[in-house]
Amino acid sequence: MRIGELAALAGVTPRAVRHYHHQGLLPEPPRRPNGYRVYGVRHAVVLARIRRLTELGLGLDEVRDVLADDAGAEVAVVLRELDDDLARQETEIRRRRERLGELLAQAEAGTLPAEGPLPPALAGLLGALPVTDSPSAAKDRAHLTLLAGDGRGDAVLEALAPVTQDPRVPALYERLDALADAPLGDPRIGPLADELAAAVPDAVIAAIPAEGPVAAAGAYGDAMLADFAPAQAAVVRRVMELLAERMRR
């Protein structure tokens, strides 16, 4: 058989046959004097087996292991590993579809946050915050998204729930906005920092994980401070220091 005939018989393309040769999966056949390969039934059987194994989801390295074991024991091992992997994928796909269903329901109800698809804990918190056009509040919402994603910040987000009902919060944001063009020596910096830190519930301090963006005072803190004008950054820096002191108590 020529390569095209072999490929048609096994249900693959000639390019796939050449690729399997290159990968060492399919033995090279003898060649005629004109250089054309001459395939036999043995090649067709091996090629059909390769096709079936790849259709099951095996990678070429796994296929190579199966083909190398004529006794068939390796087949059972690899297929069991494949089955376990597919089961994990099914679980993950099911979880993602459940989350997608929640987001679709929010989108259809018009309750999807402006920040887009968010984990439930964060979506609930942002949805409960008072509506405001404060630039500082908008930045705070953006910074809160860094707490979500891996589940470690969920406890912090839940502990922040009382802040959404705190009548002091909108006025504190407005006072921070007012420092946008203020000098670093502005006397409002210290008192505002004290009040902002005091507005953070003790439950939040207790929920902050030992590791993660909340507890990190390095790159995360520098990036967050860069979002603010100098006087505003001085307030935020002082708030972070005060919260760190409470964490150490």
Side-chain angles (χ1 to χ4, degrees):
M1 287 182 289
R2 300 276 295 274
I3 188 171
E5 296 169 324
L6 174 73
L9 182 62
V12 299
T13 65
R15 182 177 180 180
V17 175
R18 297 187 183 94
H19 181 63
Y20 296 147
H21 279 313
H22 181 70
Q23 294 296 319
L25 297 176
L26 186 65
E28 280 283 351
R31 293 178 179 265
R32 292 178 177 171
N34 60 8
Y36 289 124
R37 295 183 178 95
V38 180
Y39 294 95
V41 174
R42 182 174 66 90
H43 296 96
V45 171
V46 173
L47 184 57
R49 194 177 187 198
I50 293 171
R51 178 181 58 78
R52 287 196 298 271
L53 291 171
T54 55
E55 286 175 348
L56 284 172
L58 271 68
L60 295 186
D61 287 339
E62 294 169 312
V63 172
R64 184 178 293 103
D65 291 339
V66 172
L67 296 177
D69 192 335
D70 292 335
E74 184 69 17
V75 176
V77 172
V78 174
L79 291 181
R80 172 54 59 190
E81 291 176 350
L82 175 63
D83 185 62
D84 292 342
D85 184 59
L86 290 175
R88 286 190 294 270
Q89 291 183 46
E90 285 179 341
T91 300
E92 176 62 18
I93 290 173
R94 190 178 304 112
R95 185 193 66 79
R96 291 170 62 185
R97 290 198 65 192
E98 289 174 356
R99 177 60 182 144
L100 179 60
E102 296 173 358
L103 295 173
L104 285 171
Q106 291 179 22
E108 292 170 355
T111 59
L112 190 66
E115 290 80 4
L118 298 171
L122 180 57
L125 177 65
L126 296 184
L129 287 172
V131 178
T132 175
D133 58 0
S134 165
S136 295
K139 291 175 183 177
D140 213 11
R141 291 174 67 96
H143 297 151
L144 285 172
T145 62
L146 297 176
L147 295 178
D150 60 4
R152 291 184 302 174
D154 286 357
V156 177
L157 295 171
E158 292 171 3
L160 279 168
V163 176
T164 65
Q165 306 301 319
D166 190 334
R168 298 173 296 172
V169 171
L172 291 173
Y173 279 135
E174 290 178 5
R175 288 167 60 188
L176 187 58
D177 292 336
L179 292 175
D181 298 316
L184 279 175
D186 193 292
R188 295 172 291 178
I189 291 175
L192 179 56
D194 291 341
E195 292 182 52
L196 282 168
V200 178
D202 290 336
V204 174
I205 303 300
I208 293 176
E211 299 177 354
V214 179
Y220 169 73
D222 292 341
M224 184 172 68
L225 292 173
D227 262 355
F228 294 95
Q232 294 174 321
V235 172
V236 177
R237 183 181 295 106
R238 180 55 183 159
V239 170
M240 294 170 66
E241 292 171 353
L242 292 171
L243 296 182
E245 290 175 5
R246 287 170 62 182
M247 289 177 64
R248 290 193 292 267
R249 294 173 188 168

